Amino acid sequence: SISPLNQYAGFIQLIFMLSITAVKTGYEDYLRHKTDKEVNDRLVPVYQKKHIRSLSNIEYSYKKWSDLKVSDVIKIDPDTEIPADCLIIETFSKDNKCRIESSALDGETNLKFRYPVFLSNSTDFNCNLNKDSRFFIETSPPSSNLKVFSGKIIDENGQHIPISVSNFIPRGCISRDTQSFLAIVVYTGDDTKLIMNSMKPRFKFTELDRIMSIMAFILLIVMFLICFLLALCSKKWTEERQNSKEIDEYLTYILNDNQHWFLQFFSWIIDLQMIIPLAVYSSLDIVRFLLSFSVFTDDKMSVVTVTESNERVVKKSKCRNSDLVSTIGRVTHIFTDKTGTLTKNKMFFHSVSFENYVFDIDQIESSDIKNKVSLEYLINHSLTNKDIFYFFMTILLCNSIEVIDNQYIS
């Protein structure tokens, strides 16, 4: 034994402290695994048989997202997330367009248009497509660039149909203001653009962790220096006692052991190990772990939404990494490059003021506002009044507006 202390006491203390960190990290990994499993277990309708040109005749079976394979023909319903990188083959919208929201990929909430490859008024190859048709799809290699996709479709007769990014929908997009459509899976798993653009997880350090790491490293160097000096002094003192005529009987073993001065260095390390504040790390892990629950239970950090059936849904905040709770509490200012980060890119029309009158959509009664006009007045004078005409023209040019069959689409 090189230490007067119990040889197992230090190991038990170290294992206990590491176990606290391991349990906390393992629990957070379990929550992330649970979230991933919920996403992978979502079901999507997959085409089975019958004629693919008629929605009423198609039979579907449901597959999990994780079980999708390349060449599966899936059905995407309105306001649903795309489970894999797909190629649109048919849409049931009147204008033969698919509108998607790609905010999960590029942060843009404006709708983008995608078009099917097989249109009802195209070539005979498209019209004769059914469950017995055989064709090959050649695509470009998987790429993280959202704007890069190309390929072609080759039928049994060797006819080629080009495909481009206008026919392609990446995973993570959401179908908006569009009827159901059919799509062929071309990329799955790690080959999807969503996964390829995902950053690899890395361990995040807070400012407090950085300071504590520096302090612990300095204390470690100081402890090694102290242990080295004590071992050196022990060796020096032992040599002096050996040359002395007065030798204590209880020091005989020490004096006859030539390696004792080297082992004494490690003995001092065990004796002075308490200089390193390992318990501080475990205490911080426990405090941060408990604080993460306060984020979930805080009503001020929840969002209340109302569904179409007037059902009130409360969505609470989730803390995915408890190590950053203390850092988030120190935030006092937010600097952003655009207001869309804070306003969710939602702008609501309030009022417009012309030279002699005001149109207020909320019809707010105020003594300061005179000569209010209605929407009918603006519409009836949109061609005769120059100001009203340019107002509507500006709204049309600066926003994406579609009207199909006298019905507002987007």
Side-chain angles (χ1 to χ4, degrees):
S1 177
I2 62 174
S3 173
L5 301 178
N6 191 327
Q7 56 183 342
Y8 299 107
F11 290 103
I12 294 176
Q13 179 184 6
L14 180 62
I15 292 174
F16 175 76
M17 294 177 183
L18 293 178
S19 299
I20 294 176
T21 303
V23 170
K24 180 188 76 70
T25 306
Y27 177 75
E28 293 178 352
D29 287 341
Y30 167 74
L31 294 180
R32 285 189 283 267
H33 171 74
K34 185 179 178 181
T35 302
D36 293 341
K37 190 176 185 303
E38 291 176 357
V39 174
N40 293 329
D41 289 346
R42 292 178 184 175
L43 299 178
V44 58
V46 179
Y47 165 76
Q48 286 297 307
K49 56 183 179 179
K50 302 290 184 181
H51 202 274
I52 201 172
R53 298 296 298 172
S54 176
L55 181 61
S56 60
N57 292 332
I58 293 181
E59 293 184 2
Y60 299 96
S61 66
Y62 287 88
K63 270 189 178 183
K64 295 181 179 180
W65 283 22
S66 57
D67 295 334
L68 285 178
K69 299 179 180 179
V70 175
S71 77
D72 283 342
V73 178
I74 61 176
K75 175 188 175 185
I76 305 298
D77 295 319
D79 298 324
T80 57
E81 187 176 350
I82 311 300
D85 289 359
C86 301
L87 190 67
I88 306 174
I89 59 175
E90 183 177 7
T91 176
F92 303 100
S93 300
K94 294 181 180 180
D95 58 347
N96 287 327
K97 294 180 181 178
C98 296
R99 299 165 184 84
I100 61 172
E101 178 185 323
S102 59
S103 58
L105 298 175
D106 53 16
E108 298 181 5
T109 57
N110 57 308
L111 302 183
K112 299 179 176 62
F113 295 105
R114 293 294 183 267
Y115 305 91
V117 177
F118 306 130
L119 297 177
S120 58
N121 57 354
S122 65
T123 64
D124 294 337
F125 165 66
N126 299 336
C127 295
N128 295 330
L129 180 67
N130 53 58
K131 66 174 184 176
D132 298 323
S133 298
R134 293 179 177 273
F135 54 89
F136 297 94
I137 300 179
E138 293 184 1
T139 63
S140 55
S143 172
S144 59
N145 193 335
L146 299 176
K147 299 181 180 180
V148 173
F149 178 80
S150 61
K152 59 184 177 181
I153 299 177
I154 308 173
D155 70 343
E156 295 176 336
N157 301 323
Q159 181 182 0
H160 292 196
I161 292 183
I163 53 179
S164 63
V165 70
S166 61
N167 313 121
F168 178 78
I169 299 183
R171 176 184 175 179
C173 295
I174 301 177
S175 172
R176 299 293 189 190
D177 299 331
T178 301
Q179 297 297 323
S180 301
F181 61 89
L182 300 179
I184 297 179
V185 177
V186 292
Y187 300 132
T188 60
D190 295 336
D191 293 336
T192 59
K193 294 185 181 295
L194 177 65
I195 301 300
M196 296 184 72
N197 281 281
S198 300
M199 297 180 60
K200 294 183 178 180
R202 59 185 180 87
F203 188 79
K204 298 179 180 180
F205 286 91
T206 63
E207 184 69 17
L208 183 60
D209 291 329
R210 188 183 66 83
I211 295 175
M212 287 184 55
S213 298
I214 295 175
M215 295 177 62
F217 180 75
I218 294 175
L219 290 175
L220 184 65
I221 298 300
V222 172
M223 185 189 70
F224 282 154
L225 291 176
I226 293 176
C227 294
F228 178 76
L229 292 176
L230 290 176
L232 187 63
C233 293
S234 176
K235 179 177 180 297
K236 184 68 174 176
W237 182 83
T238 302
E239 292 176 350
E240 291 179 354
R241 298 291 294 177
Q242 281 180 337
N243 298 329
S244 176
K245 295 181 180 180
E246 299 178 359
I247 300 178
D248 299 329
E249 294 181 357
Y250 69 92
L251 293 177
T252 304
Y253 172 76
I254 298 178
L255 296 176
N256 294 334
D257 190 359
N258 296 326
Q259 296 181 349
H260 178 77
W261 66 270
F262 179 74
L263 297 177
Q264 189 72 18
F265 173 77
F266 297 98
S267 177
W268 284 115
I269 289 179
I270 297 175
D271 294 339
L272 301 179
Q273 62 179 331
M274 300 304 296
I275 293 179
I276 309 299
L278 297 178
V280 175
Y281 289 93
S282 302
S283 301
L284 280 177
D285 287 336
I286 296 175
V287 172
R288 290 168 177 170
F289 182 71
L290 296 178
L291 283 177
S292 63
F293 289 96
S294 65
V295 175
F296 176 77
T297 57
D298 192 351
D299 295 334
K300 295 182 179 179
M301 299 182 66
S302 60
V303 178
V304 180
T305 57
V306 180
T307 61
E308 296 180 357
S309 58
N310 294 327
E311 183 180 357
R312 189 171 178 268
V313 179
V314 179
K315 186 177 181 180
K316 294 184 176 293
S317 301
K318 293 183 179 180
C319 183
R320 302 184 184 276
N321 191 341
S322 60
D323 293 333
L324 303 179
V325 174
S326 58
T327 302
I328 296 175
R330 298 175 58 189
V331 176
T332 57
H333 295 78
I334 297 177
F335 296 91
T336 175
D337 58 342
K338 58 181 180 180
T339 58
T341 305
L342 303 178
T343 62
K344 300 180 181 180
N345 290 322
K346 294 183 179 180
M347 298 172 60
F348 300 94
F349 177 79
H350 182 266
S351 62
V352 56
S353 175
F354 299 97
E355 185 176 358
N356 299 320
Y357 40 84
V358 174
F359 169 67
D360 185 4
I361 195 171
D362 296 327
Q363 300 296 325
I364 300 176
E365 298 294 337
S366 176
S367 58
D368 297 334
I369 302 177
K370 298 179 181 180
N371 298 329
K372 282 189 176 183
V373 296
S374 62
L375 180 60
E376 290 75 16
Y377 179 87
L378 296 181
I379 295 176
N380 295 333
H381 294 77
S382 60
L383 297 179
T384 58
N385 189 302
K386 186 178 179 179
D387 293 335
I388 299 178
F389 174 79
Y390 283 117
F391 164 71
F392 280 114
M393 184 62 68
T394 303
I395 294 296
L396 292 172
L397 294 177
C398 296
N399 297 274
S400 299
I401 298 178
E402 282 188 272
V403 178
I404 300 177
D405 295 336
N406 295 324
Q407 184 178 3
Y408 171 75
I409 299 298
S410 64

